[in-house]
Amino acid sequence: MIRFLEDSDNDQLKIFYKKAYGEKHILNNTIHHNWQFKNNPFNKLSKKSILINESLPLIDSQLGFIPVELKLFEDNYNSAWHISFFTLEKFRGKGIGTKLIKHGNNFFDFTMVLSGSDGTKKIYLNTNGKSFGDLNRYIGVLNKKRVEHYLHSIIEKDEIKISDDKQYKIQHITKLSDDYDLFWNKVKTRYPITVNRTKQYLQWRFLEHPLLNYHFLLLKENNSIMGFAIIRFEDNNDELKAARLIDLIVFEKFEKIFLNLVSNYCLKKADFIDFFCTGSFYKKSFGEMNFFNNLSENLPFPTVFNPIDIDRRSEINFLFKNNTAKDFDGKLDDVENFYFVKSDSDQDRSN
């Protein structure tokens, strides 16, 4: 039987997570679980955003959702990321996963995945969804000597070009002011299809995150916001320190200025910066500053830290499903219309 999770399922859910993921997985953390599936401001389900399949008395499969408001050109749509999708091994091969996804699609106009398994990709393609391949991963080297020492090899990449910009400064903030709405309503036209980054959403996702310390950086000109960037440092390793550029929204005129300031902000704190995104947004500015796209270079920069896991795949793929009756004149077939980043789903988390 497929249904949404209830509070009374907690004991069986613990058993399921132990079998599926082990006792140390982040889903066993109550604070994270409530934040992820209950407190999201776009969650309109009046309960946790998890579908389960039940083989009494056991939970044999689950499908989690991150509900979002999808800005699709001029309109907003009720949408969701599929996450934490797992069926216990003894119940596989019975079509439970496909049934869960099909049932969940009834509640959202669009459903999406970042870093889906081969099984998830197969379900999407078999249900008229699309696979847009892997996200770009732009990498900028801040300390070449330490990077080469970690990689045990010489790399033919120069460090980022960082200039000393005395005209602009960035602000590290902990709360968004009312002028943010004015900025977002103007800048969002640059991004045809993306998550509607409302003030409430950003407060939940970054500024009030219960477990992670995000650096929320603003660029202003004449007291007006020109862009924001989200940085998370992973610097608990002696071998290598990373600055994750998690999100970046900026007017095109200021993108290289802002990237330069953000890179300078990270210079003494990390050995490299990386940034995942769909489409060609910021491609020119990244190139001019000596960032490279690791999709083509395939250098072994780790994506999982604390501890560093060199065996975890570094690619993040993107799957998309239109559950409406509209075809949008083929605009949903062009990946250049989509702007998604690592933090839009659950790919940036504590472990």
Side-chain angles (χ1 to χ4, degrees):
M1 180 176 68
I2 294 176
R3 60 179 176 83
F4 279 101
L5 187 75
E6 301 287 352
D7 290 341
S8 58
D9 296 315
N10 284 343
D11 289 342
Q12 284 299 328
L13 191 66
K14 290 178 182 178
I15 295 172
F16 173 79
Y17 284 160
K18 184 176 180 180
K19 292 179 179 179
Y21 302 109
E23 294 181 347
K24 295 184 179 180
H25 195 274
I26 188 63
L27 289 177
N28 292 296
N29 184 313
T30 302
I31 294 174
H32 170 84
H33 205 268
N34 288 336
W35 171 83
Q36 183 82 91
F37 298 111
K38 185 178 181 180
N39 301 332
N40 180 347
F42 290 147
N43 182 6
K44 309 301 182 185
L45 298 171
S46 72
K47 58 185 67 180
K48 284 190 174 180
S49 55
I50 296 176
L51 273 180
I52 61 169
N53 190 72
E54 194 174 40
S55 298
L56 291 173
L58 299 175
I59 296 172
D60 58 49
S61 185
Q62 83 157 24
L63 174 62
F65 304 90
I66 301 178
V68 294
E69 200 169 70
L70 189 67
K71 187 201 86 71
L72 200 149
F73 303 102
E74 291 79 25
D75 299 314
N76 294 322
Y77 290 86
N78 180 33
S79 306
W81 294 99
H82 283 145
I83 65 169
S84 304
F85 182 32
F86 197 96
T87 299
L88 296 179
E89 188 170 356
K90 66 179 290 188
F91 296 96
R92 293 175 186 172
K94 301 179 180 181
I96 295 173
T98 300
K99 291 176 182 177
L100 275 172
I101 284 183
K102 284 184 174 180
H103 185 79
N105 287 347
N106 293 322
F107 299 90
F108 302 100
D109 297 318
F110 299 92
T111 43
M112 305 164 287
V113 174
L114 287 184
S115 197
S117 67
D118 290 341
T120 302
K121 178 181 175 180
K122 183 178 180 180
I123 293 173
Y124 261 68
L125 295 179
N126 287 341
T127 55
N128 296 318
K130 297 181 184 298
S131 171
F132 285 105
D134 295 331
L135 273 63
N136 302 301
R137 186 191 184 191
Y138 294 105
I139 294 179
V141 176
L142 294 169
N143 189 324
K144 185 173 181 178
K145 182 178 180 180
R146 278 182 52 85
V147 167
E148 290 181 336
H149 182 265
Y150 170 80
L151 297 177
H152 302 293
S153 64
I154 302 298
I155 60 171
E156 296 180 1
K157 300 295 176 186
D158 294 324
E159 293 180 351
I160 301 173
K161 293 179 181 177
I162 302 177
S163 60
D164 186 15
D165 192 332
K166 299 186 183 307
Q167 182 178 357
Y168 294 97
K169 293 183 179 180
I170 51 178
Q171 302 175 19
H172 181 186
I173 65 165
T174 57
K175 186 177 181 180
L176 282 168
S177 57
D178 292 339
D179 60 344
Y180 171 78
D181 294 327
L182 180 63
F183 160 72
W184 174 241
N185 286 331
K186 290 181 179 179
V187 77
K188 67 183 181 182
T189 59
R190 186 181 182 190
Y191 309 94
I193 306 172
T194 194
V195 171
N196 187 17
R197 288 163 170 80
T198 65
K199 185 164 63 173
Q200 188 182 19
Y201 172 78
L202 292 178
Q203 286 287 147
W204 165 78
R205 181 61 187 85
F206 300 114
L207 291 166
E208 297 174 0
H209 197 289
L211 298 174
L212 295 177
N213 178 26
Y214 289 105
H215 294 233
F216 199 117
L217 308 177
L218 282 188
L219 174 66
K220 286 191 172 186
E221 183 182 60
N222 298 325
N223 293 320
S224 295
I225 300 173
M226 296 295 115
F228 75 79
I230 311 293
I231 293 286
R232 184 164 76 89
F233 292 103
E234 296 197 274
D235 52 8
N236 293 330
N237 301 282
D238 292 333
E239 310 100 295
L240 196 65
K241 301 181 187 299
R244 309 297 190 188
L245 178 52
I246 301 298
D247 199 359
L248 177 65
I249 297 290
V250 61
F251 287 113
E252 186 172 6
K253 176 183 175 182
F254 291 91
E255 70 179 46
K256 188 176 178 183
I257 293 170
F258 199 18
L259 279 172
N260 179 72
L261 291 167
V262 169
S263 298
N264 196 37
Y265 183 84
C266 299
L267 184 57
K268 302 298 182 181
K269 303 181 181 74
D271 301 315
F272 74 95
I273 305 172
D274 70 353
F275 177 64
F276 287 89
C277 72
T278 56
S280 299
F281 301 89
Y282 320 132
K283 178 180 179 180
K284 184 173 183 290
S285 293
F286 274 125
E288 290 176 354
M289 290 185 62
N290 282 345
F291 283 78
F292 59 91
N293 191 341
N294 209 40
L295 273 185
S296 56
E297 300 294 336
N298 199 29
L299 294 176
F301 280 79
T303 57
V304 177
F305 278 51
N306 304 322
I308 293 176
D309 185 349
I310 60 173
D311 296 321
R312 189 80 66 91
R313 70 176 188 180
S314 61
E315 299 84 9
I316 297 177
N317 62 359
F318 170 45
L319 310 174
F320 184 82
K321 174 75 167 61
N322 176 9
N323 302 318
T324 74
K326 303 177 183 179
D327 63 11
F328 296 91
D329 298 323
K331 293 178 181 178
L332 301 184
D333 297 328
D334 186 357
V335 72
E336 295 299 323
N337 285 327
F338 293 85
Y339 180 67
F340 292 120
V341 296
K342 186 178 180 182
S343 60
D344 284 326
S345 182
D346 69 338
Q347 292 305 292
D348 189 68
R349 61 193 190 202
S350 23
N351 59 21

PDB file of all heavy atoms in Angstrom, residues 286-315:
ATOM      1  N   PHE A 286      33.675  32.457 -15.861  1.00  0.00           N
ATOM      2  CA  PHE A 286      34.496  31.403 -15.259  1.00  0.00           C
ATOM      3  C   PHE A 286      35.756  31.179 -16.086  1.00  0.00           C
ATOM      4  O   PHE A 286      36.863  31.054 -15.538  1.00  0.00           O
ATOM      5  CB  PHE A 286      33.700  30.101 -15.144  1.00  0.00           C
ATOM      6  CG  PHE A 286      32.862  29.993 -13.902  1.00  0.00           C
ATOM      7  CD1 PHE A 286      31.505  29.754 -13.984  1.00  0.00           C
ATOM      8  CD2 PHE A 286      33.432  30.103 -12.640  1.00  0.00           C
ATOM      9  CE1 PHE A 286      30.720  29.635 -12.844  1.00  0.00           C
ATOM     10  CE2 PHE A 286      32.672  29.985 -11.496  1.00  0.00           C
ATOM     11  CZ  PHE A 286      31.313  29.756 -11.596  1.00  0.00           C
ATOM     12  N   GLY A 287      35.607  31.107 -17.395  1.00  0.00           N
ATOM     13  CA  GLY A 287      36.763  30.874 -18.260  1.00  0.00           C
ATOM     14  C   GLY A 287      37.787  31.980 -18.181  1.00  0.00           C
ATOM     15  O   GLY A 287      38.999  31.721 -18.145  1.00  0.00           O
ATOM     16  N   GLU A 288      37.330  33.212 -18.138  1.00  0.00           N
ATOM     17  CA  GLU A 288      38.251  34.352 -18.076  1.00  0.00           C
ATOM     18  C   GLU A 288      39.018  34.399 -16.762  1.00  0.00           C
ATOM     19  O   GLU A 288      40.100  34.999 -16.701  1.00  0.00           O
ATOM     20  CB  GLU A 288      37.467  35.654 -18.268  1.00  0.00           C
ATOM     21  CG  GLU A 288      36.947  35.832 -19.694  1.00  0.00           C
ATOM     22  CD  GLU A 288      36.083  37.068 -19.844  1.00  0.00           C
ATOM     23  OE1 GLU A 288      35.799  37.731 -18.822  1.00  0.00           O
ATOM     24  OE2 GLU A 288      35.699  37.385 -20.991  1.00  0.00           O
ATOM     25  N   MET A 289      38.486  33.743 -15.730  1.00  0.00           N
ATOM     26  CA  MET A 289      39.162  33.743 -14.427  1.00  0.00           C
ATOM     27  C   MET A 289      39.960  32.468 -14.167  1.00  0.00           C
ATOM     28  O   MET A 289      40.444  32.241 -13.068  1.00  0.00           O
ATOM     29  CB  MET A 289      38.133  33.946 -13.315  1.00  0.00           C
ATOM     30  CG  MET A 289      37.537  35.338 -13.283  1.00  0.00           C
ATOM     31  SD  MET A 289      36.452  35.562 -11.860  1.00  0.00           S
ATOM     32  CE  MET A 289      37.600  35.324 -10.502  1.00  0.00           C
ATOM     33  N   ASN A 290      40.103  31.624 -15.199  1.00  0.00           N
ATOM     34  CA  ASN A 290      40.886  30.384 -15.121  1.00  0.00           C
ATOM     35  C   ASN A 290      40.172  29.245 -14.399  1.00  0.00           C
ATOM     36  O   ASN A 290      40.818  28.257 -14.011  1.00  0.00           O
ATOM     37  CB  ASN A 290      42.262  30.601 -14.473  1.00  0.00           C
ATOM     38  CG  ASN A 290      43.257  31.233 -15.420  1.00  0.00           C
ATOM     39  OD1 ASN A 290      43.034  31.271 -16.625  1.00  0.00           O
ATOM     40  ND2 ASN A 290      44.341  31.756 -14.873  1.00  0.00           N
ATOM     41  N   PHE A 291      38.861  29.341 -14.213  1.00  0.00           N
ATOM     42  CA  PHE A 291      38.117  28.153 -13.806  1.00  0.00           C
ATOM     43  C   PHE A 291      38.049  27.209 -15.008  1.00  0.00           C
ATOM     44  O   PHE A 291      38.073  27.650 -16.159  1.00  0.00           O
ATOM     45  CB  PHE A 291      36.689  28.513 -13.392  1.00  0.00           C
ATOM     46  CG  PHE A 291      36.549  29.131 -12.027  1.00  0.00           C
ATOM     47  CD1 PHE A 291      36.870  30.472 -11.821  1.00  0.00           C
ATOM     48  CD2 PHE A 291      36.082  28.392 -10.955  1.00  0.00           C
ATOM     49  CE1 PHE A 291      36.726  31.061 -10.575  1.00  0.00           C
ATOM     50  CE2 PHE A 291      35.923  28.964  -9.699  1.00  0.00           C
ATOM     51  CZ  PHE A 291      36.246  30.298  -9.500  1.00  0.00           C
ATOM     52  N   PHE A 292      37.931  25.920 -14.767  1.00  0.00           N
ATOM     53  CA  PHE A 292      37.760  24.955 -15.853  1.00  0.00           C
ATOM     54  C   PHE A 292      36.575  24.048 -15.528  1.00  0.00           C
ATOM     55  O   PHE A 292      36.209  23.873 -14.366  1.00  0.00           O
ATOM     56  CB  PHE A 292      39.025  24.127 -16.072  1.00  0.00           C
ATOM     57  CG  PHE A 292      39.480  23.336 -14.865  1.00  0.00           C
ATOM     58  CD1 PHE A 292      39.037  22.022 -14.666  1.00  0.00           C
ATOM     59  CD2 PHE A 292      40.342  23.902 -13.931  1.00  0.00           C
ATOM     60  CE1 PHE A 292      39.456  21.294 -13.562  1.00  0.00           C
ATOM     61  CE2 PHE A 292      40.765  23.174 -12.823  1.00  0.00           C
ATOM     62  CZ  PHE A 292      40.315  21.868 -12.635  1.00  0.00           C
ATOM     63  N   ASN A 293      35.982  23.505 -16.576  1.00  0.00           N
ATOM     64  CA  ASN A 293      34.834  22.617 -16.408  1.00  0.00           C
ATOM     65  C   ASN A 293      35.342  21.187 -16.294  1.00  0.00           C
ATOM     66  O   ASN A 293      35.870  20.628 -17.261  1.00  0.00           O
ATOM     67  CB  ASN A 293      33.879  22.755 -17.591  1.00  0.00           C
ATOM     68  CG  ASN A 293      32.543  22.060 -17.341  1.00  0.00           C
ATOM     69  OD1 ASN A 293      32.427  21.197 -16.473  1.00  0.00           O
ATOM     70  ND2 ASN A 293      31.534  22.434 -18.096  1.00  0.00           N
ATOM     71  N   ASN A 294      35.178  20.590 -15.135  1.00  0.00           N
ATOM     72  CA  ASN A 294      35.742  19.264 -14.912  1.00  0.00           C
ATOM     73  C   ASN A 294      34.959  18.152 -15.598  1.00  0.00           C
ATOM     74  O   ASN A 294      35.380  16.999 -15.576  1.00  0.00           O
ATOM     75  CB  ASN A 294      35.852  18.967 -13.411  1.00  0.00           C
ATOM     76  CG  ASN A 294      36.986  18.012 -13.099  1.00  0.00           C
ATOM     77  OD1 ASN A 294      38.066  18.110 -13.685  1.00  0.00           O
ATOM     78  ND2 ASN A 294      36.756  17.070 -12.191  1.00  0.00           N
ATOM     79  N   LEU A 295      33.839  18.485 -16.233  1.00  0.00           N
ATOM     80  CA  LEU A 295      33.153  17.492 -17.056  1.00  0.00           C
ATOM     81  C   LEU A 295      34.053  17.018 -18.193  1.00  0.00           C
ATOM     82  O   LEU A 295      34.017  15.850 -18.585  1.00  0.00           O
ATOM     83  CB  LEU A 295      31.859  18.073 -17.638  1.00  0.00           C
ATOM     84  CG  LEU A 295      30.591  17.983 -16.797  1.00  0.00           C
ATOM     85  CD1 LEU A 295      29.401  18.489 -17.595  1.00  0.00           C
ATOM     86  CD2 LEU A 295      30.332  16.571 -16.309  1.00  0.00           C
ATOM     87  N   SER A 296      34.857  17.939 -18.721  1.00  0.00           N
ATOM     88  CA  SER A 296      35.750  17.582 -19.817  1.00  0.00           C
ATOM     89  C   SER A 296      37.148  17.222 -19.323  1.00  0.00           C
ATOM     90  O   SER A 296      37.824  16.387 -19.926  1.00  0.00           O
ATOM     91  CB  SER A 296      35.839  18.732 -20.829  1.00  0.00           C
ATOM     92  OG  SER A 296      36.244  19.934 -20.192  1.00  0.00           O
ATOM     93  N   GLU A 297      37.582  17.822 -18.225  1.00  0.00           N
ATOM     94  CA  GLU A 297      38.941  17.576 -17.729  1.00  0.00           C
ATOM     95  C   GLU A 297      39.039  16.288 -16.907  1.00  0.00           C
ATOM     96  O   GLU A 297      40.047  15.597 -16.913  1.00  0.00           O
ATOM     97  CB  GLU A 297      39.415  18.762 -16.880  1.00  0.00           C
ATOM     98  CG  GLU A 297      39.453  20.081 -17.632  1.00  0.00           C
ATOM     99  CD  GLU A 297      40.482  20.093 -18.741  1.00  0.00           C
ATOM    100  OE1 GLU A 297      41.445  19.319 -18.671  1.00  0.00           O
ATOM    101  OE2 GLU A 297      40.309  20.878 -19.697  1.00  0.00           O
ATOM    102  N   ASN A 298      37.988  16.012 -16.134  1.00  0.00           N
ATOM    103  CA  ASN A 298      37.907  14.776 -15.345  1.00  0.00           C
ATOM    104  C   ASN A 298      39.093  14.583 -14.400  1.00  0.00           C
ATOM    105  O   ASN A 298      39.636  13.478 -14.269  1.00  0.00           O
ATOM    106  CB  ASN A 298      37.775  13.561 -16.268  1.00  0.00           C
ATOM    107  CG  ASN A 298      37.243  12.340 -15.548  1.00  0.00           C
ATOM    108  OD1 ASN A 298      36.487  12.458 -14.582  1.00  0.00           O
ATOM    109  ND2 ASN A 298      37.639  11.165 -15.997  1.00  0.00           N
ATOM    110  N   LEU A 299      39.503  15.651 -13.737  1.00  0.00           N
ATOM    111  CA  LEU A 299      40.554  15.544 -12.725  1.00  0.00           C
ATOM    112  C   LEU A 299      39.937  15.045 -11.421  1.00  0.00           C
ATOM    113  O   LEU A 299      38.776  15.340 -11.118  1.00  0.00           O
ATOM    114  CB  LEU A 299      41.224  16.900 -12.518  1.00  0.00           C
ATOM    115  CG  LEU A 299      42.009  17.444 -13.715  1.00  0.00           C
ATOM    116  CD1 LEU A 299      42.549  18.844 -13.416  1.00  0.00           C
ATOM    117  CD2 LEU A 299      43.143  16.509 -14.083  1.00  0.00           C
ATOM    118  N   PRO A 300      40.680  14.287 -10.610  1.00  0.00           N
ATOM    119  CA  PRO A 300      40.102  13.618  -9.426  1.00  0.00           C
ATOM    120  C   PRO A 300      39.931  14.535  -8.215  1.00  0.00           C
ATOM    121  O   PRO A 300      40.418  14.237  -7.121  1.00  0.00           O
ATOM    122  CB  PRO A 300      41.100  12.493  -9.155  1.00  0.00           C
ATOM    123  CG  PRO A 300      42.406  13.024  -9.639  1.00  0.00           C
ATOM    124  CD  PRO A 300      42.081  13.850 -10.861  1.00  0.00           C
ATOM    125  N   PHE A 301      39.195  15.634  -8.399  1.00  0.00           N
ATOM    126  CA  PHE A 301      38.873  16.487  -7.262  1.00  0.00           C
ATOM    127  C   PHE A 301      37.701  15.850  -6.501  1.00  0.00           C
ATOM    128  O   PHE A 301      36.638  15.620  -7.095  1.00  0.00           O
ATOM    129  CB  PHE A 301      38.466  17.884  -7.735  1.00  0.00           C
ATOM    130  CG  PHE A 301      39.614  18.777  -8.097  1.00  0.00           C
ATOM    131  CD1 PHE A 301      40.261  18.636  -9.322  1.00  0.00           C
ATOM    132  CD2 PHE A 301      40.058  19.755  -7.222  1.00  0.00           C
ATOM    133  CE1 PHE A 301      41.317  19.460  -9.669  1.00  0.00           C
ATOM    134  CE2 PHE A 301      41.119  20.590  -7.562  1.00  0.00           C
ATOM    135  CZ  PHE A 301      41.750  20.443  -8.781  1.00  0.00           C
ATOM    136  N   PRO A 302      37.867  15.569  -5.223  1.00  0.00           N
ATOM    137  CA  PRO A 302      36.789  14.896  -4.480  1.00  0.00           C
ATOM    138  C   PRO A 302      35.590  15.814  -4.271  1.00  0.00           C
ATOM    139  O   PRO A 302      35.724  17.035  -4.190  1.00  0.00           O
ATOM    140  CB  PRO A 302      37.449  14.539  -3.143  1.00  0.00           C
ATOM    141  CG  PRO A 302      38.554  15.543  -2.987  1.00  0.00           C
ATOM    142  CD  PRO A 302      39.042  15.841  -4.376  1.00  0.00           C
ATOM    143  N   THR A 303      34.418  15.209  -4.191  1.00  0.00           N
ATOM    144  CA  THR A 303      33.194  15.950  -3.892  1.00  0.00           C
ATOM    145  C   THR A 303      32.684  15.668  -2.490  1.00  0.00           C
ATOM    146  O   THR A 303      31.872  16.430  -1.977  1.00  0.00           O
ATOM    147  CB  THR A 303      32.085  15.613  -4.896  1.00  0.00           C
ATOM    148  OG1 THR A 303      31.863  14.202  -4.885  1.00  0.00           O
ATOM    149  CG2 THR A 303      32.451  16.047  -6.295  1.00  0.00           C
ATOM    150  N   VAL A 304      33.129  14.573  -1.903  1.00  0.00           N
ATOM    151  CA  VAL A 304      32.667  14.199  -0.561  1.00  0.00           C
ATOM    152  C   VAL A 304      33.820  14.338   0.413  1.00  0.00           C
ATOM    153  O   VAL A 304      34.872  13.712   0.259  1.00  0.00           O
ATOM    154  CB  VAL A 304      32.125  12.757  -0.543  1.00  0.00           C
ATOM    155  CG1 VAL A 304      31.712  12.364   0.871  1.00  0.00           C
ATOM    156  CG2 VAL A 304      30.942  12.630  -1.494  1.00  0.00           C
ATOM    157  N   PHE A 305      33.621  15.174   1.444  1.00  0.00           N
ATOM    158  CA  PHE A 305      34.628  15.421   2.469  1.00  0.00           C
ATOM    159  C   PHE A 305      34.096  14.923   3.824  1.00  0.00           C
ATOM    160  O   PHE A 305      32.946  14.512   3.951  1.00  0.00           O
ATOM    161  CB  PHE A 305      34.925  16.918   2.563  1.00  0.00           C
ATOM    162  CG  PHE A 305      35.911  17.415   1.528  1.00  0.00           C
ATOM    163  CD1 PHE A 305      35.736  17.136   0.186  1.00  0.00           C
ATOM    164  CD2 PHE A 305      37.012  18.170   1.905  1.00  0.00           C
ATOM    165  CE1 PHE A 305      36.623  17.594  -0.764  1.00  0.00           C
ATOM    166  CE2 PHE A 305      37.912  18.643   0.964  1.00  0.00           C
ATOM    167  CZ  PHE A 305      37.712  18.351  -0.384  1.00  0.00           C
ATOM    168  N   ASN A 306      34.955  15.037   4.821  1.00  0.00           N
ATOM    169  CA  ASN A 306      34.599  14.725   6.225  1.00  0.00           C
ATOM    170  C   ASN A 306      34.101  13.297   6.430  1.00  0.00           C
ATOM    171  O   ASN A 306      33.003  13.096   6.927  1.00  0.00           O
ATOM    172  CB  ASN A 306      33.548  15.732   6.737  1.00  0.00           C
ATOM    173  CG  ASN A 306      34.014  17.154   6.612  1.00  0.00           C
ATOM    174  OD1 ASN A 306      35.186  17.467   6.827  1.00  0.00           O
ATOM    175  ND2 ASN A 306      33.109  18.038   6.228  1.00  0.00           N
ATOM    176  N   PRO A 307      34.896  12.261   6.137  1.00  0.00           N
ATOM    177  CA  PRO A 307      36.226  12.334   5.525  1.00  0.00           C
ATOM    178  C   PRO A 307      36.139  12.367   4.000  1.00  0.00           C
ATOM    179  O   PRO A 307      35.074  12.139   3.430  1.00  0.00           O
ATOM    180  CB  PRO A 307      36.884  11.046   6.012  1.00  0.00           C
ATOM    181  CG  PRO A 307      35.742  10.079   6.086  1.00  0.00           C
ATOM    182  CD  PRO A 307      34.561  10.891   6.564  1.00  0.00           C
ATOM    183  N   ILE A 308      37.283  12.647   3.374  1.00  0.00           N
ATOM    184  CA  ILE A 308      37.338  12.640   1.917  1.00  0.00           C
ATOM    185  C   ILE A 308      37.079  11.237   1.398  1.00  0.00           C
ATOM    186  O   ILE A 308      37.646  10.258   1.881  1.00  0.00           O
ATOM    187  CB  ILE A 308      38.711  13.146   1.424  1.00  0.00           C
ATOM    188  CG1 ILE A 308      38.871  14.643   1.758  1.00  0.00           C
ATOM    189  CG2 ILE A 308      38.879  12.921  -0.066  1.00  0.00           C
ATOM    190  CD1 ILE A 308      40.230  15.211   1.406  1.00  0.00           C
ATOM    191  N   ASP A 309      36.193  11.142   0.429  1.00  0.00           N
ATOM    192  CA  ASP A 309      35.858   9.858  -0.187  1.00  0.00           C
ATOM    193  C   ASP A 309      36.201   9.941  -1.675  1.00  0.00           C
ATOM    194  O   ASP A 309      35.479  10.550  -2.454  1.00  0.00           O
ATOM    195  CB  ASP A 309      34.364   9.554   0.004  1.00  0.00           C
ATOM    196  CG  ASP A 309      33.971   8.169  -0.507  1.00  0.00           C
ATOM    197  OD1 ASP A 309      34.799   7.539  -1.192  1.00  0.00           O
ATOM    198  OD2 ASP A 309      32.841   7.728  -0.223  1.00  0.00           O
ATOM    199  N   ILE A 310      37.308   9.319  -2.057  1.00  0.00           N
ATOM    200  CA  ILE A 310      37.761   9.402  -3.445  1.00  0.00           C
ATOM    201  C   ILE A 310      37.005   8.442  -4.352  1.00  0.00           C
ATOM    202  O   ILE A 310      37.098   8.525  -5.576  1.00  0.00           O
ATOM    203  CB  ILE A 310      39.281   9.135  -3.558  1.00  0.00           C
ATOM    204  CG1 ILE A 310      39.617   7.733  -3.025  1.00  0.00           C
ATOM    205  CG2 ILE A 310      40.075  10.198  -2.829  1.00  0.00           C
ATOM    206  CD1 ILE A 310      41.069   7.332  -3.249  1.00  0.00           C
ATOM    207  N   ASP A 311      36.250   7.523  -3.766  1.00  0.00           N
ATOM    208  CA  ASP A 311      35.538   6.531  -4.561  1.00  0.00           C
ATOM    209  C   ASP A 311      34.131   6.986  -4.941  1.00  0.00           C
ATOM    210  O   ASP A 311      33.509   6.400  -5.830  1.00  0.00           O
ATOM    211  CB  ASP A 311      35.440   5.207  -3.798  1.00  0.00           C
ATOM    212  CG  ASP A 311      36.807   4.579  -3.557  1.00  0.00           C
ATOM    213  OD1 ASP A 311      37.653   4.660  -4.472  1.00  0.00           O
ATOM    214  OD2 ASP A 311      37.033   4.027  -2.461  1.00  0.00           O
ATOM    215  N   ARG A 312      33.602   8.006  -4.264  1.00  0.00           N
ATOM    216  CA  ARG A 312      32.255   8.484  -4.566  1.00  0.00           C
ATOM    217  C   ARG A 312      32.257   9.214  -5.903  1.00  0.00           C
ATOM    218  O   ARG A 312      33.134  10.030  -6.175  1.00  0.00           O
ATOM    219  CB  ARG A 312      31.773   9.436  -3.458  1.00  0.00           C
ATOM    220  CG  ARG A 312      30.309   9.838  -3.555  1.00  0.00           C
ATOM    221  CD  ARG A 312      29.395   8.764  -3.020  1.00  0.00           C
ATOM    222  NE  ARG A 312      29.600   8.599  -1.592  1.00  0.00           N
ATOM    223  CZ  ARG A 312      28.904   9.261  -0.651  1.00  0.00           C
ATOM    224  NH1 ARG A 312      27.980  10.136  -1.006  1.00  0.00           N
ATOM    225  NH2 ARG A 312      29.137   9.028   0.623  1.00  0.00           N
ATOM    226  N   ARG A 313      31.283   8.920  -6.738  1.00  0.00           N
ATOM    227  CA  ARG A 313      31.251   9.550  -8.055  1.00  0.00           C
ATOM    228  C   ARG A 313      31.102  11.063  -7.911  1.00  0.00           C
ATOM    229  O   ARG A 313      30.379  11.552  -7.032  1.00  0.00           O
ATOM    230  CB  ARG A 313      30.122   8.979  -8.915  1.00  0.00           C
ATOM    231  CG  ARG A 313      28.725   9.377  -8.456  1.00  0.00           C
ATOM    232  CD  ARG A 313      27.677   8.846  -9.420  1.00  0.00           C
ATOM    233  NE  ARG A 313      26.355   9.368  -9.094  1.00  0.00           N
ATOM    234  CZ  ARG A 313      25.256   9.070  -9.777  1.00  0.00           C
ATOM    235  NH1 ARG A 313      25.320   8.247 -10.794  1.00  0.00           N
ATOM    236  NH2 ARG A 313      24.099   9.597  -9.433  1.00  0.00           N
ATOM    237  N   SER A 314      31.766  11.786  -8.777  1.00  0.00           N
ATOM    238  CA  SER A 314      31.744  13.249  -8.691  1.00  0.00           C
ATOM    239  C   SER A 314      30.678  13.866  -9.585  1.00  0.00           C
ATOM    240  O   SER A 314      30.374  15.046  -9.454  1.00  0.00           O
ATOM    241  CB  SER A 314      33.114  13.822  -9.064  1.00  0.00           C
ATOM    242  OG  SER A 314      33.452  13.468 -10.398  1.00  0.00           O
ATOM    243  N   GLU A 315      30.083  13.068 -10.480  1.00  0.00           N
ATOM    244  CA  GLU A 315      29.093  13.614 -11.403  1.00  0.00           C
ATOM    245  C   GLU A 315      27.726  13.742 -10.724  1.00  0.00           C
ATOM    246  O   GLU A 315      27.357  12.943  -9.868  1.00  0.00           O
ATOM    247  CB  GLU A 315      28.952  12.735 -12.647  1.00  0.00           C
ATOM    248  CG  GLU A 315      30.223  12.586 -13.460  1.00  0.00           C
ATOM    249  CD  GLU A 315      31.144  11.498 -12.931  1.00  0.00           C
ATOM    250  OE1 GLU A 315      30.709  10.745 -12.022  1.00  0.00           O
ATOM    251  OE2 GLU A 315      32.292  11.416 -13.387  1.00  0.00           O
TER     252      GLU A 315
END
